[in-house]
Amino acid sequence: MNITKATEQTRLLRQLQLDEAKTKIERNKLGQFATPTDLASDILKYALKLFPAHRKIQFLDPAFGTGSFYSALLREFTPLQIASAVGYEIDPHYGSEAISLWRNTPLKLNITDFTQATSPQTDAEKANLIICNPPYVRHHHLSQVEKQRLQNKTLEITGIKLSQLASIYCHFLCIADAWMADNCLAGWLIPSGFMDVNYGQKLREYLLNRVTLLRIHQFHPHDVQFADALCTSAVVWFKKALPPANHHIEFSYGGSLATPNERKLVTCEVLRSTAKWTKIGIISNQVNSNSQQLPLKDLFTIKRGLATGANDFFVLTPEQVAAYQIPTEFLKPILPSPRYLTVDEIATDSMGHPILEQQLFLLDCNLPLSEVESKHPLLGKYLQKGVENGISDRYLCKHRSPWYAQENRPPSPFLCTYMGRQDTKRGRPFRFILNHSQATATNVYLILYPKPILSKALAQNSQLLELVWQALNQISDEMLMGEGRVYGGGLYKLEPKELGNAIASIPLSF
């Protein structure tokens, strides 16, 4: 079959029609995100460079769809070089159409779950070229029985026990090991999250110890490869062979696979000692001779802000406070979300309230409902309204006693926004806030509580407060983004432990 642009256009049209016949929720549960034509072509063009020209291809795609990679294979390689082609597709909705579309080619397509299929027994039957965009199914969509089955099968094949928090693409990559002939070349288009998250540690060990990792190309977070899936993508290349001594792996970033914006060679030893692979190549802050470099976890206890379970009910305006005559003893000042916080340094009035355009208060009461209704009837009426509207039955609320009492998050002079983007007016994904008030914050902030040694120094030297805040703001975006994680569209997020790993230049006087 001669694969032309018209053939690929036909496949693309059918792909769109099949996608439209399903809801986004249905496709999301099965992780069905089709590979764009240009990206599939780039990946197979790169495979052409790596694959020996004299060698016959035994091709495998474990998550075939309608055949984006297979179409690119037939366009980039000569028909004479392709000895066999095997695909697996779990969904007949796509698989039946693919069988019809590619009926005049060498393809053998199995409409079944690849993770439950039986692998070939001899090298002659196994693949020597695997190209795959596995389903991006997060563990939330998997039953406990399915998680255990996948974990057991991955362990049986690779000797690696993946976390039950691992997304299904991690299992696909490991299970495919049983289908790979010696020196098989593999190219996997997967979310880049495995490079950083804890559940990706075992997958990183597999890539370093069981195969020869050749290259990882990470696309820029703003360069979303899938219009309907907000995740940052990477292409991982490796060969089914043990890594040689002093082996170097190419890391590339941004641009395309053929013309990345950045390239860097890294040894296996460096990767083994690097907890987060997205940090490879990041230049840390320059050392200031008048400061000492310390991780924030040495200076602060970092916690997420409080989770109320229903901000629209518990976070009140002054008008709501007045309407229900809520006593001040049950109110705490609280900061608005970062989008409504126009300043990074928060002044305070004589009562400890933040001087902001938007004044907000947190409702926090420990009295039994009967006592509230007796002593403060309007507040009791407001709480009864929460019961009627189902607020008291929400997960966080029903696990508190009483349900309208908040977790303990005292104010702190230092806060950091929990998530953000670079493409804002500020141009920075994270903000450090200096809080002179007694306002606490919700879980859209990270609260940095000074540890005793820093707390004592701040009490002794009032000027140190500003110096520490300046030091926090001097932490590079690259370091913060490297410690955190990124989602498609350039949304960055930091968890408390991740922020704690960031390095700040603290004045030596401290």
Side-chain angles (χ1 to χ4, degrees), residues 324-330 365 367-383:
Y324 287 94
Q325 298 179 18
I326 300 176
T328 56
E329 64 190 281
F330 305 136
C365 177
L367 297 182
L369 185 57
S370 58
E371 188 174 343
V372 173
E373 290 174 332
S374 172
K375 295 181 178 179
H376 312 285
L378 285 179
L379 174 57
K381 182 179 178 182
Y382 184 72
L383 294 177

Side-chain angles (χ1 to χ4, degrees), residues 287-308:
V287 177
N288 187 323
S289 59
N290 295 318
S291 64
Q292 53 184 324
Q293 304 286 297
L294 291 172
L296 296 188
K297 62 186 177 184
D298 288 356
L299 301 169
F300 302 96
T301 298
I302 304 174
K303 294 186 176 182
R304 287 279 297 275
L306 60 88
T308 68

Side-chain angles (χ1 to χ4, degrees), residues 24-34 63 90 133-138 141 168 226 229:
K24 285 188 176 181
I25 294 175
E26 287 174 328
R27 291 195 294 114
N28 185 268
K29 283 185 177 179
L30 287 175
Q32 295 170 322
F33 304 105
I90 192 172
N133 167 18
Y136 181 37
V137 180
R138 300 184 70 185
H141 292 313
I168 203 169
F226 304 94

Side-chain angles (χ1 to χ4, degrees), residues 1 7 10-11 14 66 96-104:
M1 182 177 182
T7 310
T10 300
R11 187 199 68 81
R14 291 301 294 135
T66 61
S96 298
E97 186 65 31
I99 289 174
S100 174
L101 184 64
W102 304 112
R103 62 184 177 276
N104 295 325

